[in-house]
Amino acid sequence: MSLVVMKFGGTSVEDPAAIGRTAAIVAGRVALGKQPVVVVSAMAKVTDQLLRAAAAASTGDRTAALEISSRLRARHRETASELVRNPADCAALIDFIDQRFDSLDEVLRGLAAILELTPRISDLIASFGERTSSRIVAAAFRERSIDAVHVDAREVIITDSQFQKAVPQDALIEARAAEKLRPLTLQGQVPVMGGFIASNEAGITTTLGRGGSDFTGALVGGALSAEAIEIWTDVDGIMTADPRVCSDALRVKLISFEEAAELAYFGAKVLHPATILPAVKKNIPVLVLNSRNAGCEGTRITSLAPHCSSPFKSIAVKKKLSIIDVVASRMLMTHGYLREVFAIFDKHKCPVDMVSTSEVSVSLSVDSNEKLSAIAADLGQLADVKYEGKKALICLVGEDIRGQNGIAAQVFTAVRHINVRMISQGASEINMSFMIDEDDADEAVRSLHAAFFKEPDPAVFDVEARKAASSC
Ligand code: ADP
Ligand code: ASP
Ligand code: MG
């Protein structure tokens, strides 16, 4: 039977109505003879609130932390009792939720006494979202006659011990998937597990980083050699720009793995940056679909995208970046200098997004973070250093820019009213990116969208939806 991994994001499990829609989508796949394995996120905004509770507790504000926990407990209890009508099943589920939140409260009280939030405790606290949502979803599925079995994702997704961004151990995951998931699917049961959460080999809870449930979906799909990986979210697929920024964004019908990976890395929140890799390794198609509009065919991510007459497929934006300028008039061209600069970023485990050099300076863009002042202090040993926050990287992605002349001129004409700081065209030749002030980012996206998606190629973009919208 063809196995399909279905990952549902926070908005697809945000309340009883959303979980009901999700159950109907999964039941529909079963009716088509498919064998689903389901991965769910925490209910929408729950991870943010858990991390807020952790932050409050770590500053000694025990009351605020416990208040957040109590609101979350009530939300999960209400959702459970609305979805699960069978009295015995409902009582067992509510009991489970209470036990989870009792233990969360214990952790928060301890944290408020110790006043130190370590990455390990942060992961433990964040894990409560997916641990609880996945139980509720599994029970709701059973109530709707889906033969669902809850599986604790921490017994399947094994990582190293880099808390908050743990690295999956592929061979171990494959063995665990064979042991914990395969027997269920062979019996036609539907495993339901939380995304994002994992554990190290010692069984200590880790997480895959924010937005990591997509990654779990792809890891499970890769480990089980699924026929397809479906990422169910709250938009019709990968769009030509974030629809929250650009209201006339179009659905991209087909996109290559390489383009999708580039978009995700450069801030298109619709997919976690690392999602594509496990799928690419096994050549498994990834589909991005809308749980609020299940009839829409979504976006299909495949190894090769068809030729497209538009140079770009989509525009991504990555905000909250900083630019670091390292100025050393005598040393820049000396042997080993850039290596020393990068060694400092490496030492602080700080990835660099973009680099540009001039005769006397090198400018680098990084995520704004608390490590910046320490990085700047280390760089200060080599050269003069300045850094500036509130920057955004705009990234246009498309395989069809390869070899086309005049594209850069069109890009910078479209944003001629905006001050551009750094420019780069990746060696992959499928992206063109530049850095601007964060406040100009939305305007830049709209201007570029208007310039490049005036006459979109109907083979690749859903132009019908635009026509339908303009005729009503
Ligand atoms: P989920 O909770 O399902 O994982 P996310 O919030 O992580 O959903 O991602 C979906 C959101 O990504 C959309 O609501 C949309 O605002 C945003 N987004 C950003 N860029 C794009 C894009 N190019 N195409 C589609 N959605 C995008
Ligand atoms: N719940 C996690 C987060 O909000 C993971 C996810 O939703 O993908 O980051
Ligand atoms: Mg997401």
Side-chain angles (χ1 to χ4, degrees):
M1 200 187 294
S2 62
L3 191 142
V4 41
V5 173
M6 306 176 76
K7 177 264 169 177
F8 292 88
T11 44
S12 304
V13 293
E14 67 186 347
D15 56 23
I19 296 175
R21 282 195 298 271
T22 292
I25 291 167
V26 173
R29 286 287 183 274
V30 174
L32 284 175
K34 307 267 180 201
Q35 169 60 59
V37 174
V38 174
V39 173
V40 295
S41 289
M43 295 172 74
K45 308 261 173 2
V46 166
T47 310
D48 289 344
Q49 284 162 24
L50 287 166
L51 293 174
R52 216 168 291 139
S58 70
T59 59
D61 195 346
R62 183 166 168 263
T63 316
L66 292 175
E67 253 171 41
I68 296 173
S69 168
S70 146
R71 278 198 300 274
L72 288 175
R73 182 194 294 250
R75 178 172 169 201
H76 285 88
R77 273 173 139 260
E78 278 158 28
T79 306
S81 43
E82 209 170 303
L83 285 164
V84 183
R85 299 286 180 199
N86 173 308
D89 291 348
C90 185
L93 185 57
I94 299 278
D95 190 44
F96 171 83
I97 293 170
D98 280 337
Q99 282 178 28
R100 288 281 63 75
F101 279 94
D102 288 348
S103 102
L104 172 64
D105 289 352
E106 217 171 295
V107 177
L108 292 172
R109 281 194 202 97
L111 184 55
I114 300 168
L115 301 177
E116 192 195 346
L117 180 56
T118 60
R120 174 172 164 171
I121 297 294
S122 175
D123 275 358
L124 175 66
I125 293 174
S127 74
F128 282 87
E130 272 74 6
R131 282 157 71 187
T132 323
S133 66
S134 55
R135 289 273 179 176
I136 297 176
V137 169
F141 281 10
R142 279 196 297 274
E143 173 105 359
R144 284 152 187 77
S145 304
I146 300 170
D147 190 4
V149 180
H150 180 266
V151 174
D152 190 331
R154 295 171 300 171
E155 292 178 5
V156 178
I157 307 296
I158 308 299
T159 65
D160 68 4
S161 300
Q162 287 184 55
F163 296 100
Q164 296 180 315
K165 227 180 187 104
V167 178
Q169 309 295 296
D170 291 348
L172 293 174
I173 295 172
E174 211 156 298
R176 294 292 185 99
E179 183 195 336
K180 310 265 177 197
L181 300 173
R182 188 69 82 190
L184 300 175
T185 60
L186 287 176
Q187 288 177 47
Q189 293 184 297
V190 176
V192 176
M193 54 194 274
F196 175 59
I197 57 174
S199 78
N200 65 12
E201 276 188 83
I204 311 289
T205 301
T206 59
T207 68
L208 301 174
R210 294 304 308 270
S213 295
D214 296 344
F215 198 6
T216 307
L219 289 167
V220 172
L224 294 173
S225 298
E227 178 194 69
I229 298 165
E230 298 179 349
I231 306 287
W232 290 86
T233 184
D234 62 348
V235 282
D236 277 347
I238 295 184
M239 312 288 285
T240 47
D242 185 342
R244 284 183 217 182
V245 173
C246 194
S247 56
D248 55 354
L250 296 159
R251 175 170 62 91
V252 185
K253 296 197 242 182
L254 283 169
I255 196 163
S256 70
F257 279 121
E258 218 188 326
E259 290 169 322
E262 204 85 350
L263 276 173
Y265 180 76
F266 286 103
K269 198 186 160 211
V270 66
L271 270 193
H272 182 281
T275 307
I276 320 287
L277 209 59
V280 174
K281 281 191 195 157
K282 294 209 167 171
N283 208 9
I284 302 171
V286 177
L287 291 126
V288 181
L289 298 155
N290 189 353
S291 67
R292 294 176 180 172
N293 183 17
C296 177
E297 65 187 26
T299 299
R300 192 178 184 84
I301 305 174
T302 50
S303 46
L304 288 177
H307 172 72
C308 172
S309 64
S310 322
F312 299 117
K313 299 281 184 350
S314 182
I315 308 167
V317 183
K318 198 169 181 182
K319 292 186 179 169
K320 297 191 186 143
L321 297 180
S322 295
I323 295 183
I324 305 185
D325 293 316
V326 185
V327 184
S329 45
R330 285 169 298 110
M331 287 151 72
L332 186 67
M333 290 305 166
T334 59
H335 178 73
Y337 173 70
L338 280 179
R339 192 188 60 219
E340 281 185 56
V341 169
F342 281 108
I344 290 170
F345 285 91
D346 203 36
K347 173 182 151 198
H348 292 276
K349 292 201 165 61
C350 178
V352 173
D353 284 318
M354 197 195 242
V355 184
S356 77
T357 54
S358 76
E359 198 182 344
V360 293
S361 73
V362 46
S363 300
L364 308 105
S365 85
V366 298
D367 278 348
S368 298
N369 60 46
E370 65 287 355
K371 295 175 196 155
L372 270 186
S373 55
I375 294 171
D378 281 356
L379 289 169
Q381 309 284 322
L382 298 178
D384 293 334
V385 182
K386 274 195 318 233
Y387 62 94
E388 216 183 310
K390 287 204 78 194
K391 297 282 172 263
L393 188 66
I394 307 286
C395 179
L396 296 112
V397 174
E399 294 207 357
D400 295 278
I401 56 175
R402 281 194 177 120
Q404 283 204 37
N405 294 328
I407 301 284
Q410 289 174 47
V411 167
F412 294 109
T413 305
V415 292
R416 62 188 171 283
H417 52 305
I418 289 168
N419 182 26
V420 173
R421 281 288 309 268
M422 283 169 77
I423 300 174
S424 137
Q425 178 165 6
S428 65
E429 288 184 30
I430 69 162
N431 94 53
M432 201 175 275
S433 28
F434 58 90
M435 185 76 80
I436 57 178
D437 283 339
E438 204 172 87
D439 293 342
D440 293 329
D442 291 356
E443 165 58 23
V445 171
R446 287 191 282 265
S447 301
L448 289 163
H449 198 271
F452 286 100
F453 295 99
K454 235 183 296 174
E455 285 169 13
D457 184 338
V460 175
F461 303 100
D462 182 8
V463 290
E464 296 306 316
R466 180 182 277 181
K467 275 191 216 144
S470 61
S471 66
C472 45

